[in-house]
Amino acid sequence: MDSRVPLTTIRAQQSWVSLDFRTLWEFRDLFYFLASRDIKVRYKQTVLGAGWAVIQPLFSTLVFWLFFGKLAKMPSDGIPYPVYTYAAMTLWTFLVNAVNNGGNSLVGNANLITKVYFPRVIMPAAAVGAGLVDFAIAFAIQLGLNVYYGIAFTLAILMVPVIVLLTTVLAAAVGLWMSALNVKYRDVRFALPFFVQLWMFATPVIYPASIVPERYRWLLSLNPMTGLVDGFRSALFNRPFDWAAIGISTAITFALLIYATFSFRKMEMRFADVI
């Protein structure tokens, strides 16, 4: 037998549709390891530890409350401005951190990619999954703010897991796409924070969607985070749900996921060569 003939040849699947979910399930332990590692590294040798998960949305809310709530008298749909803004900042901060960490996950683990075989999609997915821990901590403060401001909890709060799930899918889609682009174009990591900052001002985080003129409201709804942020607030503050906006956000989110998966699978075969 010729010793030069390889016994096993590993080839990437050619079709993005044929994602091997069986293989992904077999590597689930790697997903848990990478997610837990990201959480541990994030708070290693920090004084406040997991408190940083609360500081970012809380201090942002305080700044927005001072300049927009107090000075600019920004309306908040009858809800106290601090709790109204903090709700959006909790969801938004989760999205931002998940997208940034997911977008840099492949480049940040270049040595692992070039030496070991595993489904590459696990890396950005683990980065997004790790962000859910920070979200849970920040969300606990949100529940406390609801109690402090006397906002009663209703059955509408059952929509919170649905909105969080959709936001997670959206973060995974954008993070997956950005991670693949970042391997090929390294300036993506510099452009990503700028893009996310612009995205925030196009999302009703510090202002209600109701202040946008009706004739431009359709343009705002093309931002998938618009329906998700409004839906999150509706679930927490017992306001009527804008099901049309949530439906549009859901459709755009899954469309982005399909496109991101297609792009990722198309570029995946060359990751080890160019990273």
Side-chain angles (χ1 to χ4, degrees):
M1 184 176 179
D2 191 349
S3 60
R4 294 173 298 176
V5 178
L7 297 178
T8 304
T9 302
I10 299 175
R11 294 187 179 92
Q13 295 178 354
Q14 300 298 315
S15 173
W16 71 272
V17 178
S18 57
L19 287 176
D20 193 347
F21 292 103
R22 184 176 181 180
T23 302
L24 292 176
W25 178 253
E26 290 174 354
F27 281 88
R28 64 188 182 279
D29 289 339
L30 178 60
F31 172 86
Y32 298 138
F33 169 77
L34 291 175
S36 61
R37 184 202 62 177
D38 287 349
I39 296 171
K40 293 176 182 178
V41 169
R42 190 179 307 160
Y43 301 123
K44 186 178 181 180
Q45 294 182 331
T46 59
V47 176
L48 298 179
W52 287 107
V54 178
I55 289 176
Q56 186 175 355
L58 186 60
F59 275 70
S60 297
T61 298
L62 290 175
V63 172
F64 292 147
W65 169 71
L66 177 62
F67 287 97
F68 294 98
K70 284 292 187 180
L71 300 180
K73 305 297 181 181
M74 184 71 69
S76 55
D77 294 338
I79 307 296
Y81 191 82
V83 66
Y84 183 83
T85 305
Y86 183 83
M89 283 303 304
T90 301
L91 197 66
W92 179 257
T93 301
F94 162 63
L95 176 85
V96 170
N97 291 337
V99 168
N100 285 332
N101 294 334
N104 292 302
S105 59
L106 295 179
V107 174
N109 293 277
N111 293 334
L112 188 59
I113 289 177
T114 56
K115 294 178 180 178
V116 182
Y117 168 75
F118 59 92
R120 309 309 190 202
V121 70
I122 288 181
M123 279 191 168
V128 174
L132 288 170
V133 176
D134 289 348
F135 172 80
I137 297 172
F139 184 69
I141 302 299
Q142 175 66 55
L143 298 179
L145 288 174
N146 275 38
V147 173
Y148 177 80
Y149 283 97
I151 301 173
F153 296 106
T154 65
L155 290 178
I157 201 172
L158 296 178
M159 273 294 292
V160 167
V162 178
I163 299 297
V164 173
L165 177 61
L166 290 173
T167 306
T168 303
V169 174
L170 178 61
V174 179
L176 194 66
W177 185 31
M178 290 295 105
S179 66
L181 288 177
N182 200 14
V183 172
K184 189 175 182 180
Y185 308 106
R186 296 305 173 86
D187 48 351
V188 168
R189 65 174 180 172
F190 302 110
L192 188 56
F194 175 69
F195 163 75
V196 170
Q197 187 176 24
L198 293 179
W199 191 5
M200 189 192 76
F201 289 107
T203 304
V205 173
I206 59 179
Y207 60 88
S210 57
I211 70 169
V212 178
E214 187 68 31
R215 62 181 180 275
Y216 298 125
R217 199 81 53 85
W218 67 272
L219 189 60
L220 188 65
S221 65
L222 295 179
N223 174 5
M225 279 303 290
T226 296
L228 297 180
V229 168
D230 276 350
F232 191 66
R233 283 169 168 158
S234 296
L236 288 171
F237 306 140
N238 193 27
R239 297 168 53 228
F241 287 97
D242 187 346
W243 295 110
I246 294 176
I248 293 173
S249 295
T250 301
I252 294 176
T253 293
F254 282 98
L256 286 173
L257 179 63
I258 293 172
Y259 177 77
T261 305
F262 173 78
S263 299
F264 190 91
R265 296 290 293 171
K266 187 177 180 180
M267 292 185 275
E268 183 179 12
M269 293 182 290
R270 298 184 180 181
F271 282 169
D273 298 327
V274 300
I275 201 167

PDB file of all heavy atoms in Angstrom, residues 88-114:
ATOM      1  N   ALA A  88     -34.388  49.536  26.557  1.00  0.00           N
ATOM      2  CA  ALA A  88     -33.826  49.455  25.208  1.00  0.00           C
ATOM      3  C   ALA A  88     -32.318  49.245  25.252  1.00  0.00           C
ATOM      4  O   ALA A  88     -31.762  48.489  24.451  1.00  0.00           O
ATOM      5  CB  ALA A  88     -34.163  50.724  24.433  1.00  0.00           C
ATOM      6  N   MET A  89     -31.631  49.903  26.199  1.00  0.00           N
ATOM      7  CA  MET A  89     -30.183  49.776  26.289  1.00  0.00           C
ATOM      8  C   MET A  89     -29.772  48.362  26.694  1.00  0.00           C
ATOM      9  O   MET A  89     -28.711  47.879  26.269  1.00  0.00           O
ATOM     10  CB  MET A  89     -29.619  50.781  27.294  1.00  0.00           C
ATOM     11  CG  MET A  89     -29.529  52.199  26.772  1.00  0.00           C
ATOM     12  SD  MET A  89     -28.535  52.344  25.252  1.00  0.00           S
ATOM     13  CE  MET A  89     -26.992  51.629  25.786  1.00  0.00           C
ATOM     14  N   THR A  90     -30.584  47.698  27.494  1.00  0.00           N
ATOM     15  CA  THR A  90     -30.279  46.319  27.873  1.00  0.00           C
ATOM     16  C   THR A  90     -30.243  45.426  26.648  1.00  0.00           C
ATOM     17  O   THR A  90     -29.302  44.644  26.444  1.00  0.00           O
ATOM     18  CB  THR A  90     -31.333  45.798  28.869  1.00  0.00           C
ATOM     19  OG1 THR A  90     -31.338  46.626  30.030  1.00  0.00           O
ATOM     20  CG2 THR A  90     -31.016  44.370  29.291  1.00  0.00           C
ATOM     21  N   LEU A  91     -31.269  45.529  25.824  1.00  0.00           N
ATOM     22  CA  LEU A  91     -31.334  44.714  24.611  1.00  0.00           C
ATOM     23  C   LEU A  91     -30.270  45.150  23.604  1.00  0.00           C
ATOM     24  O   LEU A  91     -29.633  44.307  22.962  1.00  0.00           O
ATOM     25  CB  LEU A  91     -32.732  44.829  23.990  1.00  0.00           C
ATOM     26  CG  LEU A  91     -33.120  43.762  22.965  1.00  0.00           C
ATOM     27  CD1 LEU A  91     -33.214  42.394  23.625  1.00  0.00           C
ATOM     28  CD2 LEU A  91     -34.441  44.110  22.298  1.00  0.00           C
ATOM     29  N   TRP A  92     -30.078  46.461  23.478  1.00  0.00           N
ATOM     30  CA  TRP A  92     -29.125  46.978  22.502  1.00  0.00           C
ATOM     31  C   TRP A  92     -27.691  46.610  22.873  1.00  0.00           C
ATOM     32  O   TRP A  92     -26.882  46.238  22.014  1.00  0.00           O
ATOM     33  CB  TRP A  92     -29.261  48.492  22.378  1.00  0.00           C
ATOM     34  CG  TRP A  92     -28.294  49.061  21.402  1.00  0.00           C
ATOM     35  CD1 TRP A  92     -27.139  49.733  21.675  1.00  0.00           C
ATOM     36  CD2 TRP A  92     -28.368  48.962  19.976  1.00  0.00           C
ATOM     37  NE1 TRP A  92     -26.506  50.072  20.511  1.00  0.00           N
ATOM     38  CE2 TRP A  92     -27.239  49.609  19.451  1.00  0.00           C
ATOM     39  CE3 TRP A  92     -29.291  48.404  19.097  1.00  0.00           C
ATOM     40  CZ2 TRP A  92     -26.992  49.702  18.089  1.00  0.00           C
ATOM     41  CZ3 TRP A  92     -29.057  48.501  17.740  1.00  0.00           C
ATOM     42  CH2 TRP A  92     -27.924  49.143  17.246  1.00  0.00           C
ATOM     43  N   THR A  93     -27.343  46.715  24.150  1.00  0.00           N
ATOM     44  CA  THR A  93     -25.995  46.381  24.602  1.00  0.00           C
ATOM     45  C   THR A  93     -25.683  44.916  24.334  1.00  0.00           C
ATOM     46  O   THR A  93     -24.564  44.572  23.927  1.00  0.00           O
ATOM     47  CB  THR A  93     -25.842  46.691  26.102  1.00  0.00           C
ATOM     48  OG1 THR A  93     -26.102  48.076  26.335  1.00  0.00           O
ATOM     49  CG2 THR A  93     -24.436  46.361  26.579  1.00  0.00           C
ATOM     50  N   PHE A  94     -26.663  44.054  24.550  1.00  0.00           N
ATOM     51  CA  PHE A  94     -26.473  42.642  24.238  1.00  0.00           C
ATOM     52  C   PHE A  94     -26.172  42.455  22.757  1.00  0.00           C
ATOM     53  O   PHE A  94     -25.239  41.731  22.376  1.00  0.00           O
ATOM     54  CB  PHE A  94     -27.719  41.839  24.632  1.00  0.00           C
ATOM     55  CG  PHE A  94     -27.799  40.484  23.974  1.00  0.00           C
ATOM     56  CD1 PHE A  94     -26.842  39.512  24.221  1.00  0.00           C
ATOM     57  CD2 PHE A  94     -28.836  40.191  23.101  1.00  0.00           C
ATOM     58  CE1 PHE A  94     -26.906  38.268  23.603  1.00  0.00           C
ATOM     59  CE2 PHE A  94     -28.912  38.962  22.485  1.00  0.00           C
ATOM     60  CZ  PHE A  94     -27.948  37.996  22.728  1.00  0.00           C
ATOM     61  N   LEU A  95     -26.947  43.115  21.893  1.00  0.00           N
ATOM     62  CA  LEU A  95     -26.740  42.997  20.451  1.00  0.00           C
ATOM     63  C   LEU A  95     -25.351  43.499  20.057  1.00  0.00           C
ATOM     64  O   LEU A  95     -24.629  42.823  19.309  1.00  0.00           O
ATOM     65  CB  LEU A  95     -27.809  43.773  19.701  1.00  0.00           C
ATOM     66  CG  LEU A  95     -27.633  43.792  18.173  1.00  0.00           C
ATOM     67  CD1 LEU A  95     -28.244  42.546  17.554  1.00  0.00           C
ATOM     68  CD2 LEU A  95     -28.263  45.038  17.554  1.00  0.00           C
ATOM     69  N   VAL A  96     -24.976  44.669  20.548  1.00  0.00           N
ATOM     70  CA  VAL A  96     -23.690  45.276  20.176  1.00  0.00           C
ATOM     71  C   VAL A  96     -22.525  44.380  20.581  1.00  0.00           C
ATOM     72  O   VAL A  96     -21.620  44.102  19.784  1.00  0.00           O
ATOM     73  CB  VAL A  96     -23.549  46.665  20.818  1.00  0.00           C
ATOM     74  CG1 VAL A  96     -22.131  47.195  20.637  1.00  0.00           C
ATOM     75  CG2 VAL A  96     -24.542  47.635  20.204  1.00  0.00           C
ATOM     76  N   ASN A  97     -22.517  43.931  21.826  1.00  0.00           N
ATOM     77  CA  ASN A  97     -21.421  43.091  22.296  1.00  0.00           C
ATOM     78  C   ASN A  97     -21.376  41.765  21.550  1.00  0.00           C
ATOM     79  O   ASN A  97     -20.292  41.262  21.225  1.00  0.00           O
ATOM     80  CB  ASN A  97     -21.569  42.845  23.799  1.00  0.00           C
ATOM     81  CG  ASN A  97     -21.317  44.099  24.614  1.00  0.00           C
ATOM     82  OD1 ASN A  97     -20.655  45.020  24.162  1.00  0.00           O
ATOM     83  ND2 ASN A  97     -21.852  44.143  25.825  1.00  0.00           N
ATOM     84  N   ALA A  98     -22.541  41.197  21.266  1.00  0.00           N
ATOM     85  CA  ALA A  98     -22.588  39.928  20.544  1.00  0.00           C
ATOM     86  C   ALA A  98     -22.065  40.084  19.122  1.00  0.00           C
ATOM     87  O   ALA A  98     -21.305  39.247  18.623  1.00  0.00           O
ATOM     88  CB  ALA A  98     -24.020  39.380  20.532  1.00  0.00           C
ATOM     89  N   VAL A  99     -22.458  41.170  18.450  1.00  0.00           N
ATOM     90  CA  VAL A  99     -21.994  41.409  17.081  1.00  0.00           C
ATOM     91  C   VAL A  99     -20.491  41.678  17.060  1.00  0.00           C
ATOM     92  O   VAL A  99     -19.758  41.129  16.220  1.00  0.00           O
ATOM     93  CB  VAL A  99     -22.768  42.585  16.448  1.00  0.00           C
ATOM     94  CG1 VAL A  99     -22.104  43.033  15.155  1.00  0.00           C
ATOM     95  CG2 VAL A  99     -24.212  42.183  16.182  1.00  0.00           C
ATOM     96  N   ASN A 100     -20.003  42.517  17.960  1.00  0.00           N
ATOM     97  CA  ASN A 100     -18.572  42.826  17.993  1.00  0.00           C
ATOM     98  C   ASN A 100     -17.735  41.592  18.313  1.00  0.00           C
ATOM     99  O   ASN A 100     -16.727  41.313  17.645  1.00  0.00           O
ATOM    100  CB  ASN A 100     -18.288  43.921  19.023  1.00  0.00           C
ATOM    101  CG  ASN A 100     -18.716  45.293  18.556  1.00  0.00           C
ATOM    102  OD1 ASN A 100     -18.738  45.572  17.356  1.00  0.00           O
ATOM    103  ND2 ASN A 100     -19.074  46.164  19.484  1.00  0.00           N
ATOM    104  N   ASN A 101     -18.144  40.836  19.327  1.00  0.00           N
ATOM    105  CA  ASN A 101     -17.392  39.642  19.709  1.00  0.00           C
ATOM    106  C   ASN A 101     -17.493  38.557  18.644  1.00  0.00           C
ATOM    107  O   ASN A 101     -16.511  37.861  18.352  1.00  0.00           O
ATOM    108  CB  ASN A 101     -17.892  39.110  21.057  1.00  0.00           C
ATOM    109  CG  ASN A 101     -17.598  40.057  22.195  1.00  0.00           C
ATOM    110  OD1 ASN A 101     -16.659  40.843  22.137  1.00  0.00           O
ATOM    111  ND2 ASN A 101     -18.402  40.000  23.240  1.00  0.00           N
ATOM    112  N   GLY A 102     -18.689  38.411  18.070  1.00  0.00           N
ATOM    113  CA  GLY A 102     -18.848  37.430  17.008  1.00  0.00           C
ATOM    114  C   GLY A 102     -18.057  37.796  15.769  1.00  0.00           C
ATOM    115  O   GLY A 102     -17.436  36.947  15.133  1.00  0.00           O
ATOM    116  N   GLY A 103     -18.040  39.085  15.426  1.00  0.00           N
ATOM    117  CA  GLY A 103     -17.322  39.533  14.246  1.00  0.00           C
ATOM    118  C   GLY A 103     -15.819  39.361  14.355  1.00  0.00           C
ATOM    119  O   GLY A 103     -15.134  39.194  13.338  1.00  0.00           O
ATOM    120  N   ASN A 104     -15.275  39.377  15.567  1.00  0.00           N
ATOM    121  CA  ASN A 104     -13.836  39.225  15.773  1.00  0.00           C
ATOM    122  C   ASN A 104     -13.430  37.831  16.238  1.00  0.00           C
ATOM    123  O   ASN A 104     -12.258  37.588  16.529  1.00  0.00           O
ATOM    124  CB  ASN A 104     -13.343  40.252  16.805  1.00  0.00           C
ATOM    125  CG  ASN A 104     -13.432  41.675  16.290  1.00  0.00           C
ATOM    126  OD1 ASN A 104     -12.848  42.026  15.267  1.00  0.00           O
ATOM    127  ND2 ASN A 104     -14.183  42.514  16.990  1.00  0.00           N
ATOM    128  N   SER A 105     -14.388  36.918  16.314  1.00  0.00           N
ATOM    129  CA  SER A 105     -14.130  35.596  16.895  1.00  0.00           C
ATOM    130  C   SER A 105     -13.171  34.755  16.064  1.00  0.00           C
ATOM    131  O   SER A 105     -12.300  34.074  16.612  1.00  0.00           O
ATOM    132  CB  SER A 105     -15.448  34.840  17.093  1.00  0.00           C
ATOM    133  OG  SER A 105     -16.127  34.681  15.853  1.00  0.00           O
ATOM    134  N   LEU A 106     -13.310  34.776  14.743  1.00  0.00           N
ATOM    135  CA  LEU A 106     -12.446  33.949  13.898  1.00  0.00           C
ATOM    136  C   LEU A 106     -11.013  34.468  13.885  1.00  0.00           C
ATOM    137  O   LEU A 106     -10.057  33.706  14.061  1.00  0.00           O
ATOM    138  CB  LEU A 106     -12.993  33.892  12.474  1.00  0.00           C
ATOM    139  CG  LEU A 106     -14.351  33.212  12.297  1.00  0.00           C
ATOM    140  CD1 LEU A 106     -14.777  33.250  10.833  1.00  0.00           C
ATOM    141  CD2 LEU A 106     -14.306  31.769  12.788  1.00  0.00           C
ATOM    142  N   VAL A 107     -10.849  35.765  13.701  1.00  0.00           N
ATOM    143  CA  VAL A 107      -9.511  36.357  13.681  1.00  0.00           C
ATOM    144  C   VAL A 107      -8.843  36.201  15.042  1.00  0.00           C
ATOM    145  O   VAL A 107      -7.634  35.957  15.133  1.00  0.00           O
ATOM    146  CB  VAL A 107      -9.588  37.841  13.282  1.00  0.00           C
ATOM    147  CG1 VAL A 107      -8.228  38.514  13.408  1.00  0.00           C
ATOM    148  CG2 VAL A 107     -10.101  37.973  11.852  1.00  0.00           C
ATOM    149  N   GLY A 108      -9.613  36.316  16.099  1.00  0.00           N
ATOM    150  CA  GLY A 108      -9.056  36.186  17.441  1.00  0.00           C
ATOM    151  C   GLY A 108      -8.649  34.771  17.800  1.00  0.00           C
ATOM    152  O   GLY A 108      -7.923  34.567  18.782  1.00  0.00           O
ATOM    153  N   ASN A 109      -9.100  33.795  17.042  1.00  0.00           N
ATOM    154  CA  ASN A 109      -8.746  32.390  17.291  1.00  0.00           C
ATOM    155  C   ASN A 109      -8.071  31.780  16.068  1.00  0.00           C
ATOM    156  O   ASN A 109      -8.306  30.627  15.720  1.00  0.00           O
ATOM    157  CB  ASN A 109     -10.002  31.588  17.653  1.00  0.00           C
ATOM    158  CG  ASN A 109     -10.599  32.008  18.974  1.00  0.00           C
ATOM    159  OD1 ASN A 109     -10.172  31.577  20.041  1.00  0.00           O
ATOM    160  ND2 ASN A 109     -11.616  32.864  18.909  1.00  0.00           N
ATOM    161  N   ALA A 110      -7.211  32.564  15.416  1.00  0.00           N
ATOM    162  CA  ALA A 110      -6.572  32.126  14.173  1.00  0.00           C
ATOM    163  C   ALA A 110      -5.752  30.853  14.371  1.00  0.00           C
ATOM    164  O   ALA A 110      -5.761  29.954  13.524  1.00  0.00           O
ATOM    165  CB  ALA A 110      -5.687  33.244  13.631  1.00  0.00           C
ATOM    166  N   ASN A 111      -5.030  30.752  15.478  1.00  0.00           N
ATOM    167  CA  ASN A 111      -4.198  29.571  15.704  1.00  0.00           C
ATOM    168  C   ASN A 111      -5.026  28.303  15.800  1.00  0.00           C
ATOM    169  O   ASN A 111      -4.626  27.240  15.313  1.00  0.00           O
ATOM    170  CB  ASN A 111      -3.376  29.743  16.986  1.00  0.00           C
ATOM    171  CG  ASN A 111      -2.338  30.837  16.854  1.00  0.00           C
ATOM    172  OD1 ASN A 111      -1.883  31.139  15.761  1.00  0.00           O
ATOM    173  ND2 ASN A 111      -1.978  31.446  17.977  1.00  0.00           N
ATOM    174  N   LEU A 112      -6.191  28.414  16.400  1.00  0.00           N
ATOM    175  CA  LEU A 112      -7.055  27.245  16.536  1.00  0.00           C
ATOM    176  C   LEU A 112      -7.628  26.828  15.187  1.00  0.00           C
ATOM    177  O   LEU A 112      -7.736  25.633  14.878  1.00  0.00           O
ATOM    178  CB  LEU A 112      -8.186  27.562  17.521  1.00  0.00           C
ATOM    179  CG  LEU A 112      -9.101  26.403  17.935  1.00  0.00           C
ATOM    180  CD1 LEU A 112      -8.299  25.285  18.586  1.00  0.00           C
ATOM    181  CD2 LEU A 112     -10.191  26.900  18.873  1.00  0.00           C
ATOM    182  N   ILE A 113      -7.958  27.788  14.363  1.00  0.00           N
ATOM    183  CA  ILE A 113      -8.551  27.494  13.059  1.00  0.00           C
ATOM    184  C   ILE A 113      -7.561  26.788  12.138  1.00  0.00           C
ATOM    185  O   ILE A 113      -7.930  25.885  11.385  1.00  0.00           O
ATOM    186  CB  ILE A 113      -9.068  28.793  12.407  1.00  0.00           C
ATOM    187  CG1 ILE A 113     -10.300  29.294  13.155  1.00  0.00           C
ATOM    188  CG2 ILE A 113      -9.409  28.584  10.937  1.00  0.00           C
ATOM    189  CD1 ILE A 113     -10.843  30.603  12.639  1.00  0.00           C
ATOM    190  N   THR A 114      -6.302  27.174  12.195  1.00  0.00           N
ATOM    191  CA  THR A 114      -5.309  26.605  11.291  1.00  0.00           C
ATOM    192  C   THR A 114      -4.779  25.253  11.745  1.00  0.00           C
ATOM    193  O   THR A 114      -4.072  24.585  10.984  1.00  0.00           O
ATOM    194  CB  THR A 114      -4.114  27.573  11.142  1.00  0.00           C
ATOM    195  OG1 THR A 114      -3.577  27.871  12.439  1.00  0.00           O
ATOM    196  CG2 THR A 114      -4.562  28.862  10.471  1.00  0.00           C
TER     197      THR A 114
END
